[in-house]
Amino acid sequence: MASMTDEAAVRRQDALRSAVETGLVNEAEPVVGLLDVAGVRQAATSLHAAFATPGVAVEHTFAVKAASLVPVLALLGQYGLGAEVASPGELALARAAGIPPERTVLDSPAKTTAELREALSLGIAVNADNPQEIARIDALLAAAPSASPIGLRVNPQVGGGSIDAMSTATATSKFGVALRDPGAEEWVLRTYAERPWLNRLHTHTGSQGVPLPLMAAGVRAAYDLAERINAAAGRRQVTVLDIGGGLPVNFASDDITPSFGDYADLLRAEVPGLFDGRYGIVTEFGRALLAKHGTVLARVEYAKSAGGRAIAVTHAGAQVATRTVFAPEAWPLRVLALDAVGRPKTGAPVVQDVAGPCCFAGDLVAQGRALPLLDAGDHVALLDTGAYYFSTHFAYNSLPRPAVWAYTAAPGATPAFALVRAAQSPADLLAESGAGLPPLTP
Ligand SMILES: *Cc1c(COP(=O)(O)O)cnc(C)c1O
């Protein structure tokens, strides 16, 4: 029997060919995003299965920044996921997707008083980032009671992973209360003891590049702290541990490794008390739920050569693959070479650059990559781009946000496509750029 990842690769190849054949990618829309609904469902199922424990209430939320697309949030909602939001915009998207307040968590290092007031009035869970935010919540609760679960984000300062910008548990990270700083733990214990409504504790050790043992060490530190908070308060005050997201994704092959099961097993070994029924668990995964189920498909506009290097100029560059272009060592992507009808190209590998459409020299999604030689009219597929790539757009050169399509297919049948987001139109671009506003006075 073919493995699940083989089947996903077959679905992806069928979708790529069908997207080219049916003209989803065309001259007017030379780049699109594609999302595999069956893959997303399998990811959600394996997440639920990994953490399911008799007697333990587990709530999985999806980190909205990883795919800020309402139909995707609604689909995940149907698979039993809530939403982790970090801005008024993300909260609005989660609400538009029908995610109920009791399955929504607000995290952000810069919540305004108005955002806090709205979240508390809706009953959304809030994780405070720092002492000043706790003081704001004190004042808001004094003015109006709230049903919101409220936690504090702590930085266990267990160290960083391989990507500095993704490591949130370093000594000097901007997030949460730095637990190992002088006086910090005393402040935390006192803060909880004085505020019976503080009933959660939150940590998120980082995203891509943080190894599993470091993630588990961060959760362990939060768990140990919860035990000390409850002992100091003399009651079971912290009832829910929010362990964040951050499961790293393998961008080197189709294998899903590590899996949610690998991480949950490690947590069961390293933090057994987390699963003994005294705490509820909240998770906030983003990348690991969607990355492997999305693909960026783009046309090759021209093929050229410079200084002996073959260069394919495509329509997928920094506007969709922003991190890959600006930090290629940290965010390498696999690139598939496809022909004019969307089939994998054959032919001897040729070292070439795969460039994007942006007007700066570094706009390359792959440099010196050995691929069948790309030519004008061919296509490229950027793999594992289902998380962040559809929602971390860069507006350089006024390039529009591409359309995103979800695909579903019975084995052997032609894939069916459903629009998840329309491409930004010329009118949208004009509006975004101040067209129609009164002229400035010279
Ligand atoms: C970004 C973020 C997540 C999700 O991280 P992934 O690496 O996408 O799983 C979860 N929680 C918080 C607080 C975040 O900032």
Side-chain angles (χ1 to χ4, degrees), residues 71-82 97-100 103:
V72 175
L73 303 179
L75 181 72
L76 289 166
Q78 289 186 29
Y79 297 149
L81 275 93
I99 306 296
R103 282 165 51 189

Side-chain angles (χ1 to χ4, degrees), residues 61-66 84-86 107-109 127 153 166 168 175 202-208 215 242-249 260 283-289 331 387-388:
T61 66
F62 172 70
V64 169
K65 69 176 182 283
E84 185 264 351
V85 301
D107 297 329
S108 147
N127 287 317
R153 177 165 181 174
M166 297 289 117
T168 48
F175 292 105
H202 176 222
T203 193
H204 168 70
T205 298
S207 294
Q208 189 67 17
M215 292 174 64
D242 180 337
I243 64 171
L247 189 70
V249 165
F260 289 118
T283 75
E284 309 170 337
F285 296 102
R287 185 173 288 107
L289 276 161
W331 301 102
Y388 294 92

